[in-house]
Amino acid sequence: MRRIIVILAFALFAAACAGNRSRPNGGTEVWTVASEMVDCIGVGPQKCLLIKPPGETRWQFLYGGISGFDYEPGFEYVISVHRIRVENPPMDASSVLYVLDRVISKERKDSEAIPDTSHMFE
């Protein structure tokens, strides 16, 4: 079953990439991913990855995850991701899909300046 899902995800990714080559929102970005996930509120309470896109100095919440990225707590990553615009996304979904291009580095460490989100659930 997992193999079928992986094949379908790859086919969707390939089709989306082929259709996005001329779109301004397509492309690849390099992000730093924090060594821990934090509590956040999207549609409801959930855990979010923390990322630093290019030029940013503060961590940002990533609510939707990264397709193909097998996150492991305790490691800070530098990754390359494809940004794919989703035409007509469902109401509660993002209009952008992030797909892992490659892991540039994976270092065991505690990321610095992780925001405290405990107040969100009081």
Side-chain angles (χ1 to χ4, degrees), residues 6 16-17 28-30 35 41 43 55-58 60-61 81 90 98 103 112 122:
V6 169
C17 284
T28 303
E29 293 182 354
V30 175
S35 61
I41 299 176
V43 174
E56 294 295 326
T57 57
R58 292 186 180 183
Q60 297 179 8
F61 295 109
V81 294
Y98 297 103
V103 175
E112 297 177 9
E122 293 176 347

PDB file of all heavy atoms in Angstrom, residues 6 16-17 28-30 35 41 43 55-58 60-61 81 90 98 103 112 122:
ATOM      1  N   VAL A   6       3.515   6.084  -2.571  1.00  0.00           N
ATOM      2  CA  VAL A   6       4.755   6.737  -3.010  1.00  0.00           C
ATOM      3  C   VAL A   6       4.740   6.946  -4.517  1.00  0.00           C
ATOM      4  O   VAL A   6       5.103   8.018  -5.016  1.00  0.00           O
ATOM      5  CB  VAL A   6       5.989   5.915  -2.564  1.00  0.00           C
ATOM      6  CG1 VAL A   6       7.258   6.426  -3.225  1.00  0.00           C
ATOM      7  CG2 VAL A   6       6.113   5.939  -1.054  1.00  0.00           C
ATOM      8  N   ALA A  16       2.950  18.096 -11.492  1.00  0.00           N
ATOM      9  CA  ALA A  16       2.922  19.479 -10.996  1.00  0.00           C
ATOM     10  C   ALA A  16       4.163  20.243 -11.428  1.00  0.00           C
ATOM     11  O   ALA A  16       4.092  21.408 -11.810  1.00  0.00           O
ATOM     12  CB  ALA A  16       2.799  19.477  -9.471  1.00  0.00           C
ATOM     13  N   CYS A  17       5.317  19.590 -11.374  1.00  0.00           N
ATOM     14  CA  CYS A  17       6.558  20.263 -11.793  1.00  0.00           C
ATOM     15  C   CYS A  17       6.527  20.592 -13.273  1.00  0.00           C
ATOM     16  O   CYS A  17       6.943  21.668 -13.692  1.00  0.00           O
ATOM     17  CB  CYS A  17       7.775  19.391 -11.492  1.00  0.00           C
ATOM     18  SG  CYS A  17       8.212  19.379  -9.752  1.00  0.00           S
ATOM     19  N   THR A  28      12.694  26.517  -6.448  1.00  0.00           N
ATOM     20  CA  THR A  28      13.321  25.806  -5.349  1.00  0.00           C
ATOM     21  C   THR A  28      13.854  26.807  -4.338  1.00  0.00           C
ATOM     22  O   THR A  28      14.359  27.860  -4.713  1.00  0.00           O
ATOM     23  CB  THR A  28      14.470  24.936  -5.886  1.00  0.00           C
ATOM     24  OG1 THR A  28      13.945  24.054  -6.885  1.00  0.00           O
ATOM     25  CG2 THR A  28      15.094  24.102  -4.798  1.00  0.00           C
ATOM     26  N   GLU A  29      13.716  26.475  -3.067  1.00  0.00           N
ATOM     27  CA  GLU A  29      14.238  27.310  -1.984  1.00  0.00           C
ATOM     28  C   GLU A  29      15.052  26.433  -1.043  1.00  0.00           C
ATOM     29  O   GLU A  29      14.792  25.239  -0.921  1.00  0.00           O
ATOM     30  CB  GLU A  29      13.101  27.955  -1.181  1.00  0.00           C
ATOM     31  CG  GLU A  29      12.288  28.964  -1.937  1.00  0.00           C
ATOM     32  CD  GLU A  29      11.203  29.597  -1.074  1.00  0.00           C
ATOM     33  OE1 GLU A  29      10.994  29.172   0.086  1.00  0.00           O
ATOM     34  OE2 GLU A  29      10.562  30.525  -1.571  1.00  0.00           O
ATOM     35  N   VAL A  30      16.012  27.038  -0.355  1.00  0.00           N
ATOM     36  CA  VAL A  30      16.792  26.334   0.659  1.00  0.00           C
ATOM     37  C   VAL A  30      16.333  26.836   2.026  1.00  0.00           C
ATOM     38  O   VAL A  30      16.310  28.044   2.266  1.00  0.00           O
ATOM     39  CB  VAL A  30      18.309  26.572   0.464  1.00  0.00           C
ATOM     40  CG1 VAL A  30      19.096  25.939   1.599  1.00  0.00           C
ATOM     41  CG2 VAL A  30      18.754  26.017  -0.876  1.00  0.00           C
ATOM     42  N   SER A  35      15.300  21.689  15.026  1.00  0.00           N
ATOM     43  CA  SER A  35      15.473  20.353  15.590  1.00  0.00           C
ATOM     44  C   SER A  35      14.259  19.849  16.374  1.00  0.00           C
ATOM     45  O   SER A  35      14.250  18.700  16.802  1.00  0.00           O
ATOM     46  CB  SER A  35      16.698  20.328  16.500  1.00  0.00           C
ATOM     47  OG  SER A  35      16.532  21.240  17.564  1.00  0.00           O
ATOM     48  N   ILE A  41      -1.554  26.191  16.121  1.00  0.00           N
ATOM     49  CA  ILE A  41      -2.983  26.067  15.841  1.00  0.00           C
ATOM     50  C   ILE A  41      -3.216  26.404  14.381  1.00  0.00           C
ATOM     51  O   ILE A  41      -2.935  27.520  13.935  1.00  0.00           O
ATOM     52  CB  ILE A  41      -3.814  26.992  16.741  1.00  0.00           C
ATOM     53  CG1 ILE A  41      -3.594  26.624  18.197  1.00  0.00           C
ATOM     54  CG2 ILE A  41      -5.298  26.907  16.366  1.00  0.00           C
ATOM     55  CD1 ILE A  41      -4.297  27.525  19.184  1.00  0.00           C
ATOM     56  N   VAL A  43      -6.109  24.512  11.560  1.00  0.00           N
ATOM     57  CA  VAL A  43      -7.546  24.251  11.612  1.00  0.00           C
ATOM     58  C   VAL A  43      -7.921  23.875  13.044  1.00  0.00           C
ATOM     59  O   VAL A  43      -8.984  24.174  13.523  1.00  0.00           O
ATOM     60  CB  VAL A  43      -7.925  23.133  10.621  1.00  0.00           C
ATOM     61  CG1 VAL A  43      -9.382  22.743  10.764  1.00  0.00           C
ATOM     62  CG2 VAL A  43      -7.615  23.559   9.201  1.00  0.00           C
ATOM     63  N   GLY A  55      16.914  34.514   3.823  1.00  0.00           N
ATOM     64  CA  GLY A  55      16.828  35.897   4.271  1.00  0.00           C
ATOM     65  C   GLY A  55      16.118  36.111   5.596  1.00  0.00           C
ATOM     66  O   GLY A  55      16.061  37.228   6.095  1.00  0.00           O
ATOM     67  N   GLU A  56      15.566  35.072   6.191  1.00  0.00           N
ATOM     68  CA  GLU A  56      14.851  35.197   7.466  1.00  0.00           C
ATOM     69  C   GLU A  56      15.776  34.860   8.629  1.00  0.00           C
ATOM     70  O   GLU A  56      16.623  33.972   8.525  1.00  0.00           O
ATOM     71  CB  GLU A  56      13.639  34.279   7.503  1.00  0.00           C
ATOM     72  CG  GLU A  56      12.560  34.640   6.499  1.00  0.00           C
ATOM     73  CD  GLU A  56      11.916  35.986   6.780  1.00  0.00           C
ATOM     74  OE1 GLU A  56      11.773  36.359   7.957  1.00  0.00           O
ATOM     75  OE2 GLU A  56      11.564  36.663   5.799  1.00  0.00           O
ATOM     76  N   THR A  57      15.591  35.543   9.745  1.00  0.00           N
ATOM     77  CA  THR A  57      16.397  35.267  10.929  1.00  0.00           C
ATOM     78  C   THR A  57      15.581  34.622  12.041  1.00  0.00           C
ATOM     79  O   THR A  57      16.142  34.077  12.975  1.00  0.00           O
ATOM     80  CB  THR A  57      17.033  36.563  11.466  1.00  0.00           C
ATOM     81  OG1 THR A  57      15.989  37.508  11.754  1.00  0.00           O
ATOM     82  CG2 THR A  57      18.004  37.143  10.456  1.00  0.00           C
ATOM     83  N   ARG A  58      14.254  34.684  11.938  1.00  0.00           N
ATOM     84  CA  ARG A  58      13.368  34.082  12.941  1.00  0.00           C
ATOM     85  C   ARG A  58      12.697  32.853  12.364  1.00  0.00           C
ATOM     86  O   ARG A  58      12.418  32.776  11.172  1.00  0.00           O
ATOM     87  CB  ARG A  58      12.292  35.080  13.371  1.00  0.00           C
ATOM     88  CG  ARG A  58      12.848  36.234  14.136  1.00  0.00           C
ATOM     89  CD  ARG A  58      11.748  37.102  14.652  1.00  0.00           C
ATOM     90  NE  ARG A  58      12.308  38.210  15.395  1.00  0.00           N
ATOM     91  CZ  ARG A  58      11.579  39.102  16.007  1.00  0.00           C
ATOM     92  NH1 ARG A  58      10.260  39.035  15.969  1.00  0.00           N
ATOM     93  NH2 ARG A  58      12.156  40.082  16.669  1.00  0.00           N
ATOM     94  N   GLN A  60       9.763  30.355  11.434  1.00  0.00           N
ATOM     95  CA  GLN A  60       8.386  30.500  10.970  1.00  0.00           C
ATOM     96  C   GLN A  60       7.700  29.147  11.047  1.00  0.00           C
ATOM     97  O   GLN A  60       8.326  28.113  10.828  1.00  0.00           O
ATOM     98  CB  GLN A  60       8.356  31.010   9.526  1.00  0.00           C
ATOM     99  CG  GLN A  60       8.959  32.369   9.357  1.00  0.00           C
ATOM    100  CD  GLN A  60       8.922  32.831   7.902  1.00  0.00           C
ATOM    101  OE1 GLN A  60       8.327  32.205   7.035  1.00  0.00           O
ATOM    102  NE2 GLN A  60       9.574  33.941   7.645  1.00  0.00           N
ATOM    103  N   PHE A  61       6.396  29.162  11.352  1.00  0.00           N
ATOM    104  CA  PHE A  61       5.624  27.927  11.401  1.00  0.00           C
ATOM    105  C   PHE A  61       5.361  27.422   9.987  1.00  0.00           C
ATOM    106  O   PHE A  61       5.009  28.205   9.105  1.00  0.00           O
ATOM    107  CB  PHE A  61       4.258  28.155  12.075  1.00  0.00           C
ATOM    108  CG  PHE A  61       4.355  28.528  13.524  1.00  0.00           C
ATOM    109  CD1 PHE A  61       4.061  29.816  13.937  1.00  0.00           C
ATOM    110  CD2 PHE A  61       4.714  27.592  14.475  1.00  0.00           C
ATOM    111  CE1 PHE A  61       4.133  30.180  15.270  1.00  0.00           C
ATOM    112  CE2 PHE A  61       4.790  27.939  15.822  1.00  0.00           C
ATOM    113  CZ  PHE A  61       4.496  29.230  16.215  1.00  0.00           C
ATOM    114  N   VAL A  81      13.769  22.627  -1.125  1.00  0.00           N
ATOM    115  CA  VAL A  81      12.373  22.252  -1.376  1.00  0.00           C
ATOM    116  C   VAL A  81      11.869  22.894  -2.662  1.00  0.00           C
ATOM    117  O   VAL A  81      12.263  23.999  -3.009  1.00  0.00           O
ATOM    118  CB  VAL A  81      11.441  22.656  -0.209  1.00  0.00           C
ATOM    119  CG1 VAL A  81      11.751  21.885   1.044  1.00  0.00           C
ATOM    120  CG2 VAL A  81      11.476  24.128   0.054  1.00  0.00           C
ATOM    121  N   PRO A  90      -8.486  22.897  -1.763  1.00  0.00           N
ATOM    122  CA  PRO A  90      -9.660  22.830  -0.887  1.00  0.00           C
ATOM    123  C   PRO A  90      -9.654  24.018   0.074  1.00  0.00           C
ATOM    124  O   PRO A  90      -8.610  24.613   0.337  1.00  0.00           O
ATOM    125  CB  PRO A  90      -9.464  21.513  -0.130  1.00  0.00           C
ATOM    126  CG  PRO A  90      -8.538  20.712  -0.976  1.00  0.00           C
ATOM    127  CD  PRO A  90      -7.680  21.698  -1.701  1.00  0.00           C
ATOM    128  N   TYR A  98       4.833  21.979  -0.761  1.00  0.00           N
ATOM    129  CA  TYR A  98       6.280  21.922  -0.649  1.00  0.00           C
ATOM    130  C   TYR A  98       6.718  20.464  -0.761  1.00  0.00           C
ATOM    131  O   TYR A  98       6.192  19.603  -0.058  1.00  0.00           O
ATOM    132  CB  TYR A  98       6.757  22.517   0.672  1.00  0.00           C
ATOM    133  CG  TYR A  98       6.412  23.975   0.784  1.00  0.00           C
ATOM    134  CD1 TYR A  98       5.353  24.414   1.571  1.00  0.00           C
ATOM    135  CD2 TYR A  98       7.118  24.933   0.053  1.00  0.00           C
ATOM    136  CE1 TYR A  98       5.027  25.751   1.655  1.00  0.00           C
ATOM    137  CE2 TYR A  98       6.799  26.282   0.131  1.00  0.00           C
ATOM    138  CZ  TYR A  98       5.749  26.678   0.934  1.00  0.00           C
ATOM    139  OH  TYR A  98       5.426  28.012   1.003  1.00  0.00           O
ATOM    140  N   VAL A 103      18.135  16.695   0.922  1.00  0.00           N
ATOM    141  CA  VAL A 103      18.658  17.083   2.233  1.00  0.00           C
ATOM    142  C   VAL A 103      20.108  17.501   2.008  1.00  0.00           C
ATOM    143  O   VAL A 103      20.929  16.699   1.565  1.00  0.00           O
ATOM    144  CB  VAL A 103      18.564  15.937   3.256  1.00  0.00           C
ATOM    145  CG1 VAL A 103      19.228  16.334   4.569  1.00  0.00           C
ATOM    146  CG2 VAL A 103      17.110  15.548   3.486  1.00  0.00           C
ATOM    147  N   GLU A 112      18.594  26.908  18.075  1.00  0.00           N
ATOM    148  CA  GLU A 112      18.535  28.072  18.956  1.00  0.00           C
ATOM    149  C   GLU A 112      17.297  28.916  18.682  1.00  0.00           C
ATOM    150  O   GLU A 112      16.792  28.948  17.564  1.00  0.00           O
ATOM    151  CB  GLU A 112      19.790  28.918  18.764  1.00  0.00           C
ATOM    152  CG  GLU A 112      21.064  28.184  19.161  1.00  0.00           C
ATOM    153  CD  GLU A 112      22.316  28.996  18.911  1.00  0.00           C
ATOM    154  OE1 GLU A 112      22.213  30.197  18.591  1.00  0.00           O
ATOM    155  OE2 GLU A 112      23.407  28.425  19.036  1.00  0.00           O
ATOM    156  N   GLU A 122      -3.444  27.819  26.655  1.00  0.00           N
ATOM    157  CA  GLU A 122      -3.876  28.108  28.019  1.00  0.00           C
ATOM    158  C   GLU A 122      -5.309  28.556  28.039  1.00  0.00           C
ATOM    159  O   GLU A 122      -5.844  29.102  27.141  1.00  0.00           O
ATOM    160  CB  GLU A 122      -2.985  29.195  28.628  1.00  0.00           C
ATOM    161  CG  GLU A 122      -1.580  28.688  28.821  1.00  0.00           C
ATOM    162  CD  GLU A 122      -0.638  29.797  29.335  1.00  0.00           C
ATOM    163  OE1 GLU A 122      -1.000  30.982  29.314  1.00  0.00           O
ATOM    164  OE2 GLU A 122       0.454  29.427  29.749  1.00  0.00           O
TER     165      GLU A 122
END
